Amino acid sequence: MIRSITKQKPFEEVLELLSGLDRIFLAGCGTCTTLCRTGGMPEVLEMASKLGEKGKIVTGQMVIPVACDELTHEAVEDHKQAFSEAEAVLMMSCAYGVQTMSKQVGLPAIPALDTLFVGKEMGLGRFDEVCTQCGSCVLGLTGGICPVTACHKGLLNGPCGGTNNGKCEIDSDKDCAWTLIYLKLKEQGKLDLMRKYHDLRNHNVEPKPGKIRLPLE
Amino acid sequence: MNRSFKEVLGSGKFVVTSELGPPKGTNLENMIHHVDLLKDKVDAINVTDHQSSVMRYPSLGGALIVKERGGEPILQMTCRDRNRMALQADLMFAYSRGITNVLCLTGDAVVVGDHKQAKGVFDLDSSQLLTAIRTMESGKDLGGSDLDGAVNFCAGAIVTPEANPIEPQLIKFEKKIAAGAEFIQTQAIYDLDNFKRFMDYARPFGVKIMAGVILLTSWRMAEFMNKNVPGVFVPQPLIEEIKSAPKGGAIAKGVEIAGRMIRRIKEESICDGVHVMAIGKEELVPDILKEAGLANGS
Ligand code: SF4
Ligand code: SF4
């Protein structure tokens, strides 16, 4: 399952964003931010009490099952009264959820979290960024490991000079993607794939913002 | 300096290059002093490009100064800060001003330097930058349009012979040669027996190889590099040798070691030349060359 990976903004920044707004509806998300421990029920309750200490009135709070889903409007319906009393919604979801909520209600939807990357859960509490949707997938040539994403510099033709005993020059906690690709291809007896020269990348396969319209009836 | 670097490479002579890092700021006095000190003692002078991702006076500006003062510059170009449009523009500018040697590098990550929040570009990698140069030499730009006036460069790249694992590094080395690298300057090497093994592998590719020699100024520096600089390995006996130097004599010992290594590389024809890096102690390069028996630019 892919997950939107978030971290909490510093509380001072949240207060800054809420300045002049006294009555707040607080919404977490039951999916990714619950998993990341950034916007599940415990974090929502903690935020409610911290806001209370700062004199804010929390008109209502909830954990929306999937905040980025269009069904979010049903959650809004269920809490109609509390929403109508609020001046803003403080979202403890990822930015997809913030944008979804923003479309559903007339109130400002304010992020309490920073969205870091779309990642994959690799084990309890471990999330890795493994694809950045580049529009031209090379996984078939790289042993299923993405150099565009897992290599800090997004290099296609092999390691840079900073590769350090299997680790990346930027952080000894991060693997060098090209060492991983090398070991994988070697194990598969496919090192020849690594010798293939990749020409210059197209950085505009789908120019930002991505938009696809399927010709459906 | 009357021969171009390309001519030197073709002459069969033992090639000696060195390098300078431009200043942080616009006071160029020290750099000019070092250019004047080195320009007649080495075959070419590399000018580094925001080395270690620390923002400085540009390599292009430094290379121009080398050129203006009668030296032969090697323009270091990384892919960290410029996309393919800016790289092509700078290549044309360099060529139009008589800078004809380029060392193509991927570049260090932005986050290791002093502008940690900057955007790292890496539109191209080092092998693709070589491809870009060869494409522009054919009279076309990377968008496929004709150039009114092409470029012509002696282009090189680097390799890290002590990288671990080594095979991915060698695969990249071969890609760089296939993409048009004419010379290779290596990351610092200290274990010449290891380096000989690398040369046994590399020699058949026919590209000119200059061994990287970094001046060791203290045993702490050696240990620091072992710990922190990827692909650099200073063997323990060398560290002991510097430790054994009399008080205040570590630098002289470092000069002696560097000179001895260069001498051996030349005498045993281990590779085609050396690239001497003194990192801030450029005034010692002539001493190193003297120690190596190359006092008059070999
Ligand atoms: S190459 Fe990497 S970033 Fe691009 S689509 Fe494939 S996995 Fe995603
Ligand atoms: S060390 Fe490896 S992962 Fe890090 S930038 Fe270099 S090639 Fe990429």
Side-chain angles (χ1 to χ4, degrees):
Chain A
M1 177 87 90
I2 65 170
R3 298 289 182 195
S4 189
I5 309 305
T6 47
K7 70 173 177 32
Q8 290 204 356
K9 283 182 181 290
F11 188 58
E12 299 69 44
E13 188 183 339
V14 173
L15 283 181
E16 180 71 30
L17 289 166
L18 294 178
S19 68
L21 301 165
D22 294 328
R23 284 169 290 119
I24 311 293
F25 188 91
L26 197 50
C29 172
T31 312
C32 300
T33 64
T34 290
L35 205 75
C36 281
R37 314 270 197 282
T38 50
M41 190 47 93
E43 293 79 30
V44 167
L45 292 175
E46 195 194 333
M47 180 66 81
S49 92
K50 276 161 84 179
L51 290 176
E53 282 165 26
K54 293 288 169 188
K56 303 281 182 195
I57 298 155
V58 177
T59 65
Q61 65 203 28
M62 72 175 300
V63 173
I64 303 168
V66 188
C68 60
D69 195 288
E70 294 309 317
L71 288 175
T72 290
H73 79 263
E74 288 181 8
V76 173
E77 283 299 302
D78 289 348
H79 291 74
K80 223 175 179 165
Q81 181 64 25
F83 269 97
S84 70
E85 289 166 4
E87 294 169 283
V89 193
L90 183 63
M91 292 296 292
M92 300 183 74
S93 69
C94 78
Y96 291 84
V98 179
Q99 297 197 32
T100 306
M101 178 60 79
S102 188
K103 273 198 256 164
Q104 300 291 345
V105 294
L107 304 172
I110 291 168
L113 311 181
D114 283 318
T115 302
L116 297 172
F117 58 88
V118 175
K120 183 164 170 46
E121 192 178 11
M122 310 301 280
L124 193 65
R126 293 173 47 225
F127 306 97
D128 286 355
E129 187 176 25
V130 298
C131 168
T132 35
Q133 301 88 43
C134 73
S136 178
C137 195
V138 299
L139 286 176
L141 300 169
T142 56
I145 296 158
C146 170
V148 173
T149 307
C151 164
H152 175 73
K153 298 171 189 167
L155 305 177
L156 290 185
N157 281 306
C160 72
T163 177
N164 201 3
N165 297 311
K167 298 297 172 186
C168 176
E169 71 178 5
I170 67 154
D171 187 341
S172 56
D173 260 1
K174 294 188 177 180
D175 293 322
C176 170
W178 275 105
T179 302
L180 296 180
I181 293 169
Y182 162 71
L183 293 172
K184 187 76 177 190
L185 290 176
K186 192 172 166 180
E187 179 191 307
Q188 294 175 343
K190 293 211 155 46
L191 266 187
D192 271 359
L193 290 178
M194 200 165 152
R195 296 180 189 279
K196 183 184 142 53
Y197 174 72
H198 291 259
D199 212 341
L200 282 56
R201 254 173 78 190
N202 177 2
H203 289 276
N204 283 307
V205 177
E206 168 61 19
K208 261 185 192 173
K211 197 165 194 137
I212 299 291
R213 297 288 178 270
L214 298 180
L216 304 176
E217 281 311 305
Chain B
M1 189 66 46
N2 29 38
R3 279 195 296 182
S4 73
F5 186 56
K6 197 174 191 126
E7 285 164 354
V8 172
L9 286 180
S11 71
K13 120 181 228 306
F14 188 74
V15 184
V16 179
T17 57
S18 188
E19 80 180 35
L20 295 177
K24 195 172 193 76
T26 55
N27 178 356
L28 305 176
E29 246 170 71
N30 203 31
M31 180 171 62
I32 289 172
H33 168 67
H34 287 148
V35 169
D36 289 347
L37 191 74
L38 294 179
K39 64 180 183 181
D40 299 317
K41 297 208 163 57
V42 298
D43 297 306
I45 302 172
N46 287 39
V47 185
T48 57
D49 180 10
H50 309 303
Q51 196 165 30
S52 305
S53 302
V54 171
M55 194 287 297
R56 289 170 175 276
Y57 190 81
S59 60
L60 200 43
L64 263 180
I65 289 169
V66 174
K67 186 79 199 169
E68 284 163 7
R69 301 190 78 82
E72 178 73 346
I74 297 177
L75 174 69
Q76 294 200 180
M77 268 190 138
T78 73
C79 300
R80 176 190 54 235
D81 311 309
R82 286 163 287 189
N83 70 4
R84 66 191 76 175
M85 294 181 72
L87 286 167
Q88 290 178 97
D90 282 356
L91 283 165
M92 291 192 292
F93 178 71
Y95 180 71
S96 73
R97 300 296 293 270
I99 297 166
T100 53
N101 314 300
V102 183
L103 184 74
C104 299
L105 305 157
T106 295
D108 294 321
V110 165
V111 292
V112 306
D114 70 346
H115 283 61
K116 295 190 192 303
Q117 301 189 353
K119 182 167 170 46
V121 179
F122 304 109
D123 183 15
L124 310 187
D125 66 29
S126 49
S127 57
Q128 292 166 336
L129 180 55
L130 285 157
T131 301
I133 289 173
R134 297 310 178 214
T135 304
M136 292 175 77
E137 285 178 337
S138 77
K140 296 266 186 208
D141 72 10
L142 294 174
S145 303
D146 290 332
L147 294 173
D148 180 10
V151 298
N152 188 10
F153 285 109
C154 177
I158 63 159
V159 71
T160 305
E162 300 262 19
N164 176 31
I166 185 65
E167 203 174 2
Q169 197 63 212
L170 302 182
I171 291 173
K172 184 94 177 247
F173 168 82
E174 290 177 33
K175 285 189 184 185
K176 288 174 178 179
I177 293 169
E182 294 161 76
F183 67 93
I184 299 283
Q185 293 172 317
T186 78
Q187 173 58 289
I189 49 119
Y190 290 97
D191 184 332
L192 288 183
D193 294 321
N194 259 352
F195 183 60
K196 274 185 177 174
R197 278 189 285 279
F198 168 78
M199 282 308 302
D200 288 341
Y201 149 85
R203 202 170 284 110
F205 292 97
V207 63
K208 297 287 177 184
I209 295 184
M210 277 137 272
V213 176
I214 293 185
L215 171 68
L216 296 171
T217 53
S218 67
W219 62 267
R220 279 196 186 82
M221 171 196 178
E223 289 192 340
F224 177 87
M225 289 203 299
N226 278 351
K227 233 192 176 147
N228 298 297
V229 183
V232 174
F233 174 66
V234 187
Q236 199 56 36
L238 274 189
I239 296 178
E240 296 304 330
E241 191 180 341
I242 301 173
K243 273 186 184 165
S244 76
K247 207 169 158 47
I251 292 186
K253 183 52 89 178
V255 168
E256 182 193 321
I257 291 170
R260 187 175 74 211
M261 280 178 53
I262 296 169
R263 185 187 290 271
R264 185 169 158 212
I265 290 168
K266 183 171 187 218
E267 280 175 5
E268 297 182 24
S269 299
I270 296 176
C271 63
D272 305 290
V274 286
H275 178 58
V276 185
M277 294 166 272
I279 315 182
K281 297 246 180 310
E282 280 72 24
E283 67 278 1
L284 293 176
V285 172
D287 296 341
I288 297 172
L289 298 180
K290 206 162 152 201
E291 189 74 36
L294 299 170
N296 295 312
S298 69

